[in-house]
Amino acid sequence: METWNVEAEDGGRLDVHSFRTPAGLHPTTAGPPGVVLIHGTLVTDALYRPFARKLSVLLGRPVHCYNRRGRAGSAPQPADYSVQTEVSDLAAVMGRTGSTDLVAHSYGGFVALQAARTLPVGRLVTYDAAVSLSGNLSHRWRPELEDAVTAGQLNHAWAHLVQGLATAGPLSYLPLGALRMLSILSARTNLGAEMRQLLPTAVTEMRAVLDADAELENFTALTTPVLMLSGGWSPAYFAETGRQLAAAVPSINFQVVPGQLHEGPIRPGKGLAVRMARFINGSDGQARTLGRRR
């Protein structure tokens, strides 16, 4: 793994980690075009590095994952943060790495689909993309989450986030009191403590999704080949969004991945990476059959 930095348009630093870079060569050295992996909310790119490594081996190409604003070695979220901040940052990473293909998870999928409307994206795979269509995610937003973060009541905030997004599987349906207790317990782990620190970025990112609420017509001009995946055990609203977009946009293909939870890309196993790699490389028959859906 190579660790390096990309300077964003506004001068902010983005922390990048690249895989399958030849020893002794900078990640931007000429070679096969790379793939950029965009992570979800409430996490850093560290959880995705094993998946990035698998993809790199399967593709035979470099895979670059980076920390989005507000985490690890990257710059803070600016005061005027919006999805355009993320699209601009992604453009900087793509430009410096010579990458045109994207793999994105959850909030990262939202960023990638927005970016594909204006950036020269070759192929795109999303997993549980958090896109708001015609206000369908507005009820997922809980003002209590932002109020709790502002008041420093992070266990209360975490409980509202989990209940609102329902991305934690069966745990999402526990009472708030039980979720607060789980937050207290998880804070004793490195991952749990990190998630608590990132709660303010989750508030900002959820607002960005709602502010960018779109209609199907906003995507009908999209020509980038897109494979939208959703886990069979993920919250149903991710699959519903994928089905709607695939039905309206010929270049979008939607599939459900049986047996996968929302956190599929950061769990052990190779099947999801194989499915994505086949599409990115165009070796899957469905990769060339735009508009085919499941």
Side-chain angles (χ1 to χ4, degrees):
M1 182 181 76
E2 296 282 341
T3 301
W4 55 297
N5 300 314
V6 166
E7 184 175 332
E9 185 179 9
D10 64 359
R13 160 181 160 167
L14 299 171
D15 191 27
V16 183
H17 299 92
S18 300
F19 295 87
R20 204 173 175 84
T21 302
L25 294 181
H26 193 271
T28 58
T29 300
V35 176
V36 177
L37 191 158
I38 314 169
H39 67 75
T41 198
L42 213 62
V43 291
T44 70
D45 81 335
L47 290 180
Y48 294 78
R49 293 174 198 169
F51 192 73
R53 188 177 289 109
K54 291 176 196 173
L55 276 176
S56 180
V57 171
L58 290 166
L59 292 167
R61 297 160 60 186
V63 173
H64 312 281
C65 51
Y66 67 102
N67 279 308
R68 295 189 294 97
R69 298 287 182 120
R71 63 256 298 152
S74 293
Q77 292 177 333
D80 62 348
Y81 174 87
S82 72
V83 67
Q84 292 309 314
T85 307
E86 296 285 1
V87 171
S88 178
D89 287 353
L90 174 59
V93 175
M94 290 173 67
R96 287 284 286 134
T97 60
S99 303
T100 58
D101 297 332
L102 306 176
V103 170
H105 178 213
S106 196
Y107 184 82
F110 158 68
V111 172
L113 282 165
Q114 293 290 337
R117 296 168 59 190
T118 57
L119 300 183
V121 177
R123 287 181 178 272
L124 164 62
V125 182
T126 70
Y127 184 87
D128 282 354
V131 178
S132 181
L133 291 176
S134 303
N136 71 325
L137 295 188
S138 59
H139 70 287
R140 297 284 169 185
W141 169 254
R142 293 191 173 185
E144 299 93 336
L145 166 61
E146 186 170 10
D147 293 342
V149 169
T150 301
Q153 300 172 341
L154 299 185
N155 295 317
H156 194 59
W158 187 87
H160 276 292
L161 180 71
V162 170
Q163 269 199 352
L165 297 182
T167 52
L171 293 179
S172 304
Y173 304 101
L174 291 174
L176 282 175
L179 288 172
R180 284 195 295 269
M181 182 58 64
L182 282 177
S183 177
I184 293 170
L185 294 174
S186 69
R188 299 174 183 175
T189 68
N190 290 337
L191 179 58
E194 183 176 73
M195 285 184 171
R196 285 163 58 93
Q197 292 175 352
L198 290 172
L199 276 166
T201 67
V203 170
T204 310
E205 289 166 7
M206 288 177 68
R207 281 201 172 277
V209 169
L210 298 181
D211 288 344
D213 184 68
E215 301 295 331
L216 289 172
E217 306 87 75
N218 297 123
F219 293 94
T220 51
L222 188 65
T223 58
T224 297
V226 179
L227 175 61
M228 294 188 71
L229 301 175
S230 184
W233 293 341
S234 296
Y237 61 86
F238 290 116
E240 180 57 29
T241 297
R243 290 190 181 97
Q244 288 185 52
L245 283 168
V249 185
S251 65
I252 295 180
N253 187 337
F254 171 72
Q255 298 174 15
V256 171
V257 186
Q260 288 282 354
L261 294 163
H262 176 66
E263 63 267 25
I266 59 177
R267 293 178 67 85
K270 192 176 177 181
L272 191 57
V274 169
R275 187 184 291 240
M276 291 184 175
R278 285 176 176 167
F279 183 85
I280 289 292
N281 268 352
S283 56
D284 186 335
Q286 290 188 5
R288 303 273 181 196
T289 310
L290 303 183
R292 180 177 176 182
R293 305 164 185 103
R294 288 183 183 176

